[in-house]
Amino acid sequence: MNRWALGIDIGGTNTAFGLVDEDGHVHYSNNFRTTDFPTADELAKRIFEDIEGNSGAAHLISGIGIGAPNGNYHNGTIEFAPNLKWEGVIPLANIFKSYFNKPTTVTNDANAAALGEMLFGVAKGMNDFVLVTLGTGLGSGFVCHGKMLYGHTGMAGELGHIVIKPNGRACGCGRKGCLETYASATGFKRTVAALQKKYQKSGKAVRSPLPRISAKHLTTLAEQGDALALEAFDITARHLARGLATAVAITSPQAVILAGGLARSGHTLTDPLEQHLNRELLVIFQDKVTVLISELLDDNAAVLGAAALVLQH
Amino acid sequence: MNRWALGIDIGGTNTAFGLVDEDGHVHYSNNFRTTDFPTADELAKRIFEDIEGNSGAAHLISGIGIGAPNGNYHNGTIEFAPNLKWEGVIPLANIFKSYFNKPTTVTNDANAAALGEMLFGVAKGMNDFVLVTLGTGLGSGFVCHGKMLYGHTGMAGELGHIVIKPNGRACGCGRKGCLETYASATGFKRTVAALQKKYQKSGKAVRSPLPRISAKHLTTLAEQGDALALEAFDITARHLARGLATAVAITSPQAVILAGGLARSGHTLTDPLEQHLNRELLVIFQDKVTVLISELLDDNAAVLGAAALVLQH
């Protein structure tokens, strides 16, 4: 009998969930606005009622996997997530267990995405890789020797908050120069905004006024040869390369997999990234790491990743 | 029956080896000058003859563990070690097997030291820690979830070559601003030399003229309140803290263990290190990491570490 998992991706804005089988097929899915629920308990209750009432398959669930910001694998908790209004430490696994009465596992969203990639995406068969999500922030999940790296605290894999530029851009974490202030959808926008000022001062024509900054739009401009757009991707790639070179020096993965909104820029990002990375890498790691784009960039990716927490076993 | 391992530590200058039992007792040990041997084969032959002829216990050896610069665990090789005159890729495990006919495992010296610490030192019972050797260079070995982190290439754990200061000090690896150019015995000397110039220019009395720079001497001066010595340790600690904060963000260890020559400075180094580290760490890791000094700082430490490669199983 094919086992099914309930995969739940809790984001700052939206919570998506679905019933996923071992082949990665999504049999039922739905989503709610996270911000509509004052407590995690109310969200869990609503998802339980939805699955019981609408999926027709609640009895097939063998376990629940949840990807959530600041999700702690060891404790089954969300801990001080800055972009959720549920404050402090939330005993998320226990809350969901109280409704579903099924084994429930929690991890952060980037770790869940890495597991999804290992079971259903470009990392199939890989034992050592890093998944990097370039979204509002930069999240990362490290798989080492075939296993998710959780560390002593259960919170390992915070590549977004390594300092790559001392006294650099201010970061939401309170420090300066963190990788995610440069290499994320948000960091990319800051780079574009800074370039627009620079270009305007120098009298160069700027084709994209501020309100239209988006990675998608800039990708199109870069493909058309727009100097500002090309420079924005080059700067982003250079900083990302420095952060990845650090990740490689410590964990020596066979691949770096890019996911999240900015990863949709594809070669416009990876071409300069590979150039910078080869320069930044220690010589023993050169030509030993492949840069790949996630195969799970569609809407179900996060749900597949969360389900993979259960289905990996 | 207590199993014995032959632990061999191959360094740029000296090669030490010994017969170690499961409790970490060294029953026989000896050493040769690495530079006396034009090839690894000649060194292996000499060690074999010495063990056969003098130890009286060659028959008790269940396996051989070798720690060596640029040692590759997966391949059993030394690969392009800059401080050995044996060039290219050396099939070290096969060479030793051809004499001893015993299972032989190779890894780099810092990884061996980490395993030694886990079996016989301060990391007993720990599943997640980083060992950092502060010697001529900065070496590191990461133990994650109870296992040595080797990565896809077998060469993971190169914390010495993460860039912590873009366009900083020139490094032997050809890049700039690597952690080991600041945080190692060599980096420490560079810091002291730079401070001496600065102090001389400012007319401050300098109590330690250049030829006497040594960590041991500066530790004594720092304990006496010497401003230059205190500043040298503070600068070293600040850079080391930045590198360790990066290592913690990625792997989330419960402890960072310092070994190597500079670690003998003890609290003179760890007091400022802990202060800087708490400022550099992402908030979720603050007060979750302990800084410890290796318990294996004596001459047999490297041999115990190499033997641990065999005895860990």
Side-chain angles (χ1 to χ4, degrees), chain B residues 139-178:
Chain B
S140 67
F142 288 75
V143 170
C144 300
H145 304 201
K147 294 202 170 153
M148 197 73 231
L149 182 64
Y150 291 112
H152 182 60
T153 59
M155 311 282 271
E158 285 290 348
L159 191 65
H161 295 285
I162 68 167
V163 172
I164 54 142
K165 195 163 185 173
N167 297 314
R169 290 181 182 170
C171 183
C173 76
R175 302 177 309 156
K176 284 182 173 178
C178 288

Side-chain angles (χ1 to χ4, degrees), chain B residues 236-304:
Chain B
T236 305
R238 178 157 47 85
H239 288 97
L240 181 55
R242 175 141 299 169
L244 292 178
T246 291
V248 170
I250 293 177
T251 65
S252 186
Q254 70 184 102
V256 171
I257 300 163
L258 304 181
L262 198 54
R264 294 175 198 263
S265 299
H267 282 286
T268 307
L269 176 64
T270 56
D271 285 353
L273 178 62
E274 283 172 355
Q275 284 176 22
H276 286 294
L277 192 57
N278 231 32
R279 208 168 18 238
E280 293 282 345
L281 283 174
L282 191 61
V283 66
I284 55 171
F285 299 119
Q286 278 168 16
D287 305 314
K288 301 274 171 72
V289 190
T290 314
V291 175
L292 299 170
I293 297 284
S294 164
E295 282 180 356
L296 307 173
L297 288 175
D298 68 16
D299 294 341
N300 281 325
V303 168
L304 285 173

Side-chain angles (χ1 to χ4, degrees), chain A residues 195-216:
Chain A
L195 284 174
Q196 285 189 313
K197 278 188 194 163
K198 190 182 94 171
Y199 275 52
Q200 278 161 347
K201 270 190 192 167
S202 71
K204 284 191 198 176
V206 175
R207 292 169 58 184
S208 45
L210 276 164
R212 293 185 60 204
I213 296 180
S214 79
K216 193 177 173 187

